[in-house]
Amino acid sequence: MEATTAATEARPVRLLVFGRQGAGKGTQAVRLAERYEVPHISTGDMLRAAVKDGTEFGLQAKAIMDAGQLVSDEVMLGIISERLAEPDAARGWLLDGFPRTEQQAKDLVALVGADGIDLALDLDVPESVVLERITTRRVCSECGTTYSLGRDESASSGTCAKCGGGVVQRDDDTEAAVRKRLDIYASQTLPAVRWFGEQGLLVTIDGVGDPDAIATALAEAIDARLG
Ligand code: AMP
């Protein structure tokens, strides 16, 4: 049987990607958006852009993000409604980081209609695994290359093998900060994931292992749904 090439799909493809921080969601989301030729809409990226622009809203968002909290459902609905009304979203989209609560999930369905979502994908990586991945992560403060303690010499030496810059742990990669975000994921976002399960829209993919194999599993689940 020949594999379906997504590029030949004429109708819009509308996807959601869930996953704990450190599950590899962002990387897989970029790959899927390319494959299905839809915009990759990351609410985290949109909020960080607002912070960079220095608008009043950006300042408020920064305080919330720095505290590891969630921006309000009402504000997020406004942001996502505007974004989905842009011309490039007419041929589909991939949402990364939204919805993040059960209320946002219901708001999204109210916005796009009951048939307006093709599939929600849950990239499942256990808490213990992401905690280990993130707390051993070190990053070069000059060139941004990431290293892992126990795997890369630069992580333990503190000197970047590429540029000689200082290799450090990011403030939000400490165990306390990561635990806080994982707790919010469990209490706020998992109910949204389960809600999509109840709607028959959810596929869970094992997110531990080779990124290429995970990308293939995700694409197979989507192609099966699109028929
Ligand atoms: P992310 O890059 O997806 O981890 O998002 C970074 C931060 O932006 C989160 O920790 C939240 O503070 C905020 N954020 C992103 N998406 C949402 C959302 N859908 N609802 C509420 N807050 C969000």
Side-chain angles (χ1 to χ4, degrees):
M1 202 177 75
E2 221 174 278
T4 325
T5 49
T8 60
E9 292 288 336
R11 75 173 183 85
V13 180
R14 294 138 318 175
L15 305 167
L16 313 179
V17 185
F18 289 104
R20 293 187 168 84
Q21 188 207 8
K25 173 173 65 81
T27 311
Q28 295 293 345
V30 168
R31 292 174 72 150
L32 286 175
E34 270 171 20
R35 178 180 163 92
Y36 293 93
E37 297 186 334
V38 292
H40 168 220
I41 299 177
S42 156
T43 46
D45 285 351
M46 291 170 77
L47 291 169
R48 279 183 287 274
V51 171
K52 235 183 178 171
D53 286 348
T55 58
E56 197 184 321
F57 167 69
L59 287 177
Q60 290 166 4
K62 183 177 179 349
I64 295 168
M65 291 161 82
D66 284 352
Q69 305 289 334
L70 295 182
V71 174
S72 79
D73 292 337
E74 203 187 345
V75 167
M76 293 311 302
L77 178 61
I79 290 177
I80 212 75
S81 309
E82 275 185 22
R83 183 63 187 86
L84 295 185
E86 285 179 26
D88 66 337
R91 61 170 326 281
W93 30 258
L94 181 144
L95 302 189
D96 169 2
F98 184 95
R100 202 95 152 204
T101 64
E102 192 171 337
Q103 183 61 48
Q104 291 180 11
K106 291 176 178 169
D107 288 344
L108 178 65
V109 169
L111 182 70
V112 301
D115 299 328
I117 297 166
D118 293 299
L119 198 60
L121 298 145
D122 182 20
L123 198 56
D124 188 35
V125 178
E127 269 198 12
S128 56
V129 176
V130 295
L131 199 57
E132 163 86 12
R133 273 188 200 171
I134 299 168
T135 55
T136 56
R137 179 163 67 192
R138 299 291 182 271
V139 56
C140 174
S141 45
E142 299 292 325
C143 73
T145 301
T146 54
Y147 296 102
S148 180
L149 263 190
R151 192 191 64 196
D152 305 310
E153 163 66 18
S154 293
S156 42
S157 71
T159 305
C160 180
K162 279 197 182 153
C163 76
V167 173
V168 297
Q169 182 174 41
R170 275 171 29 183
D171 288 346
D172 55 353
D173 280 354
T174 61
E175 181 160 344
V178 176
R179 273 196 195 282
K180 188 167 179 196
R181 273 176 288 170
L182 290 175
D183 285 349
I184 290 187
Y185 190 83
S187 64
Q188 305 283 315
T189 307
L190 281 184
V193 178
R194 283 190 211 107
W195 188 79
F196 281 105
E198 286 158 19
Q199 315 306 308
L201 281 171
L202 185 74
V203 170
T204 302
I205 301 288
D206 184 354
V208 182
D210 172 39
D212 289 340
I214 295 166
T216 302
L218 287 165
E220 280 174 0
I222 297 165
D223 291 345
R225 173 61 62 121
L226 296 175

